[in-house]
Amino acid sequence: MNMKDGRVITLEGGSFNSSVNQNDIFVYCVSKHLSAELAEKFGPFCVEIPDPDLLMRRLRMRRELKSQFDYDQLVCGPVDYREHSREPGVDWALPERLVLIKPEDFAWQDEFRIAVGKRDAMNVENVGLTIQTGPSTPVFAPIPVPIFLRVNRLAEFVTLHRF
């Protein structure tokens, strides 16, 4: 850490953590592959989306001035699985990048994510920052109420599989 007075402090065994405001950003997680192994872990049904761009266009069409969600800042992409020791670079300040990062322990999920936030949730530096000096366990609060986004008839562009 570089202090305002010019001192440089190095954390031994500590870490710098940046996280999105989890109650303001909603993430839809999917795997990029269809497999029986994933079905064992997540359930017997799978919805195949052959054209994810179509789903994104339908979500962006939901844009309304009075909506609590900012569809103009919709984020989608493959998850970047990282070692805990990897330096964050500028990602720490960018919620749209943080929602696409996960520890490498989860790489077996091979995820693609779609994230939509409430107004201003994806603004630069709208993140929670902590400096951890000892071992810690991440704490994720449950979302109090799920959200449902209507994208018209899914049957028009998806295929349902059962394992």
Side-chain angles (χ1 to χ4, degrees):
M1 292 187 305
N2 297 319
M3 307 300 283
K4 284 185 178 180
D5 63 7
R7 292 177 297 142
V8 176
I9 298 173
T10 303
L11 292 174
E12 296 293 329
S15 63
F16 168 80
N17 300 303
S18 177
S19 60
V20 298
N21 295 316
Q22 67 186 30
N23 289 330
D24 292 342
I25 298 175
F26 299 87
V27 181
Y28 181 63
C29 307
V30 298
S31 179
K32 294 188 296 182
H33 67 274
L34 181 66
S35 74
E37 292 80 24
L38 287 176
E40 284 180 29
K41 293 186 182 281
F42 294 109
F45 294 100
C46 173
V47 176
E48 180 182 4
I49 306 170
D51 185 0
D53 290 333
L54 176 59
L55 177 58
M56 299 306 298
R57 286 192 303 276
R58 287 192 177 191
L59 284 169
R60 285 192 173 105
M61 287 175 18
R62 296 197 40 78
R63 180 180 329 163
E64 293 179 20
L65 289 177
K66 63 181 179 178
S67 175
Q68 68 175 318
F69 299 106
D70 190 350
Y71 292 98
D72 288 329
Q73 291 190 4
L74 194 70
V75 174
C76 68
V79 169
D80 180 9
Y81 298 97
R82 297 183 176 182
E83 297 177 19
H84 290 284
S85 60
R86 181 172 163 187
E87 291 185 17
V90 298
D91 292 343
W92 71 266
L94 305 170
E96 75 270 12
R97 300 258 279 283
L98 291 176
V99 297
L100 298 177
I101 297 172
K102 226 173 159 177
E104 67 179 341
D105 300 346
F106 296 94
W108 60 269
Q109 294 175 346
D110 194 22
E111 277 183 80
F112 182 91
R113 288 184 166 184
I114 299 169
V116 63
K118 291 181 179 178
R119 299 271 174 208
D120 301 324
M122 297 287 191
N123 287 355
V124 173
E125 294 187 4
N126 188 16
V127 295
L129 302 175
T130 58
I131 295 176
Q132 193 67 39
T133 57
S136 69
T137 304
V139 177
F140 297 101
I143 297 172
V145 178
I147 64 165
F148 297 93
L149 301 177
R150 300 200 192 296
V151 291
N152 295 332
R153 291 180 40 86
L154 287 175
E156 295 174 2
F157 64 98
V158 303
T159 305
L160 179 64
H161 299 275
R162 183 182 173 121
F163 285 88

